[in-house]
Amino acid sequence: MKYFAAAATLVAAVTAHGDHADQEPIEGPHKSLWYNTLPGDGGTQADSIFSGISTFGRIDYSPCLATEDVKYDIAFIGAPFDTGTSYRPGARFGPSGIRQGSRRLNLYGGYNVPLAANPFNSWAKVIDCGDIPVTSYDNAWAIQQIEEGHNSILMREPATHAKEKGPSLKGKTLPRVITLGGDHTITLPLLRSMNRAYGPITVIHFDSHLDTWKPKVFGGAPSKQAAINHGTYFFHAAHEGLLRNDTNIHAGIRTTLSGLSDYANDGYVGFEIVEAREIDTIGTAGIIKKIHDRVGHKNPVYLSIDIDTLDPAFAPATGTPETGGWSTRELRTIIRGLEGINLVACDLVEVAPAYDTNAELTTMAAADTLFEVMTLMVKKGPLSEMVSSEVEEIEEKMEI
């Protein structure tokens, strides 16, 4: 009898539940418990920075390559490629590692004190577009995927000043794109994408290596595809006409060479060199001045940062580490010193998280460096203002 009574009760409960099929489900914790307005300048604090799905700095995510509905002014995109490396692989995990290292960037609201700006709370719509799908089986195809994926993100109308004139070849204002690598080979397809938007472009290159080597010197070039790798991509970029002559610069160089002819070839490719050891004589201020003097303040500039610019004591998780590098503090100071330069896009490469410490030193250093870059871009304003400032300068000269 007890069994039948229990069964009847269960049937009654199910029937009663069915009568309320149109009842709305009860929601979880109230949103205000998870997203709170911060005091001060009105930023927002997510739940716990150690929880949830990782995006760069916990910014909004959108699968940009699957939809064109979302608008943005600065987009982060990953390029998980590492089959062009010559020593330690693993940079295919760089995009996810950098995102992990960025989790606490806006823990206190994200205000950048030295640059006096908050890139998480500004005029700019900043989103994380996820990763470009990249095959690990065919380098030629992967390089094409990276170029096309990046160009799809780059060539869209931005959220701000979309209809105003900009510095691109077609006179349009475009969004900025920050790419998470990936080994440094990815810079070649990224520069090909940039060339389609801006023509030959000025490059600031932070690295311990030149990466302008002739293919026969670096890797032996046993095939056409093997000739393109993380030590030769600038050689190819120069020969393809992707670089703006006599305005490009390396910073942080301390590599060994096959001979002094490597430096001669580097000059032919179009670069000036700032060696890492120069920081001992001219300091960070001297290095910043050299960069400004070389690239100027009128042209669109592409920034490429190899995490091995840093000494392995600060960033051990990289494909080709070189001792004698800069500290994280020194690199961040120099990056902040680029204020005033027209940065239109950036990549940060060669983060291979498998070689990192348990404390995530390398991925945090990478994320913090990009925090500085993102802040510079926000402070500079929409790219339409590059054209506005040029017009004002011309008008002032005409008045004189």
Side-chain angles (χ1 to χ4, degrees):
M1 292 296 292
K2 290 182 179 179
Y3 169 79
F4 289 109
T9 301
L10 178 61
V11 170
V14 171
T15 303
H17 180 75
D19 292 339
H20 297 282
D22 59 342
Q23 180 177 335
E24 293 185 6
I26 298 174
E27 295 184 0
H30 194 273
K31 189 175 181 180
S32 65
L33 296 177
W34 296 91
Y35 294 93
N36 302 307
T37 300
L38 294 177
D41 54 7
T44 56
Q45 168 70 51
D47 44 310
S48 298
I49 59 168
F50 47 79
S51 68
I53 298 171
S54 293
T55 61
F56 186 86
R58 297 182 61 88
I59 57 179
D60 291 340
Y61 164 76
S62 176
C64 304
L65 293 174
T67 177
E68 295 188 6
D69 294 338
V70 65
K71 300 289 186 181
Y72 46 82
D73 296 300
I74 301 174
F76 284 84
I77 186 78
F81 172 92
D82 67 359
T83 46
T85 188
S86 59
Y87 188 44
R88 300 196 304 203
R92 68 182 63 183
F93 298 103
S96 60
I98 295 169
R99 290 184 178 105
Q100 283 289 100
S102 73
R103 286 172 294 175
R104 62 183 300 277
L105 282 178
N106 59 2
L107 171 62
Y108 308 110
Y111 186 81
N112 188 321
V113 175
L115 287 174
N118 188 339
F120 296 103
N121 183 22
S122 71
W123 62 269
K125 172 66 175 175
V126 186
I127 67 169
D128 191 324
C129 288
D131 291 349
I132 300 169
V134 179
T135 182
S136 57
Y137 304 109
D138 184 331
N139 278 14
W141 185 249
I143 286 172
Q144 184 177 342
Q145 287 177 306
I146 294 168
E147 178 185 346
E148 296 301 329
H150 182 271
N151 200 251
S152 173
I153 303 300
L154 175 66
M155 300 298 280
R156 301 181 190 181
E157 289 188 347
T160 307
H161 290 190
K163 302 303 180 183
E164 297 192 20
K165 290 183 178 181
S168 68
L169 288 176
K170 294 184 178 180
K172 295 182 178 180
T173 295
L174 301 176
R176 293 176 171 96
V177 182
I178 298 175
T179 307
L180 313 176
D183 78 51
H184 223 148
T185 310
I186 71 168
T187 299
L188 179 58
L190 298 180
L191 288 175
R192 288 171 175 169
S193 171
M194 295 300 297
N195 185 259
R196 290 158 66 177
Y198 293 99
I201 197 163
T202 296
V203 173
I204 301 173
H205 174 225
F206 286 91
D207 205 318
S208 63
H209 309 95
L210 297 173
D211 295 355
T212 56
W213 280 284
K214 296 178 180 179
K216 287 188 177 181
V217 174
F218 196 96
S223 68
K224 181 179 179 180
Q225 194 53 55
I228 299 174
N229 57 58
H230 75 161
T232 64
Y233 59 91
F234 275 138
F235 176 87
H236 294 283
H239 280 261
E240 292 177 20
L242 308 181
L243 306 179
R244 190 179 182 96
N245 291 333
D246 302 321
T247 60
N248 310 297
I249 190 167
H250 305 295
I253 301 298
R254 57 189 186 278
T255 184
T256 56
L257 305 173
S258 69
L260 289 177
S261 61
D262 290 347
Y263 274 179
N265 175 67
D266 190 76
Y268 173 75
V269 170
F271 280 87
E272 182 180 312
I273 298 172
V274 178
E275 297 193 8
R277 58 185 174 170
E278 292 184 51
I279 202 168
D280 298 327
T281 54
I282 65 175
T284 57
I287 291 170
I288 291 167
K289 183 179 185 302
K290 280 195 170 187
I291 295 173
H292 279 267
D293 290 346
R294 176 68 169 177
V295 306
H297 302 99
K298 293 184 178 180
N299 303 323
V301 176
Y302 186 89
L303 175 62
S304 184
I305 306 169
D306 190 323
I307 200 63
D308 72 20
T309 307
L310 297 175
D311 191 275
F314 301 94
T318 190
T320 48
E322 301 281 357
T323 61
W326 294 336
S327 69
T328 309
R329 183 184 67 228
E330 289 164 343
L331 177 60
R332 292 182 68 175
T333 297
I334 294 167
I335 294 293
R336 288 195 295 266
L338 303 183
E339 186 172 1
I341 292 173
N342 295 315
L343 301 179
V344 295
C346 170
D347 66 53
L348 192 146
V349 299
E350 297 286 355
V351 174
Y355 311 107
D356 215 352
T357 68
N358 290 340
E360 300 178 328
L361 291 182
T362 311
T363 56
M364 283 196 300
D368 288 348
T369 300
L370 288 180
F371 171 65
E372 306 290 1
V373 173
M374 181 171 60
T375 309
L376 289 176
M377 290 178 171
V378 166
K379 284 200 73 174
K380 190 66 175 174
L383 288 175
S384 58
E385 296 187 6
M386 275 185 63
V387 176
S388 300
S389 61
E390 288 179 6
V391 171
E392 290 176 1
E393 186 177 332
I394 292 171
E395 289 176 347
E396 288 177 1
K397 289 181 179 179
M398 290 177 67
E399 290 177 1
I400 294 172

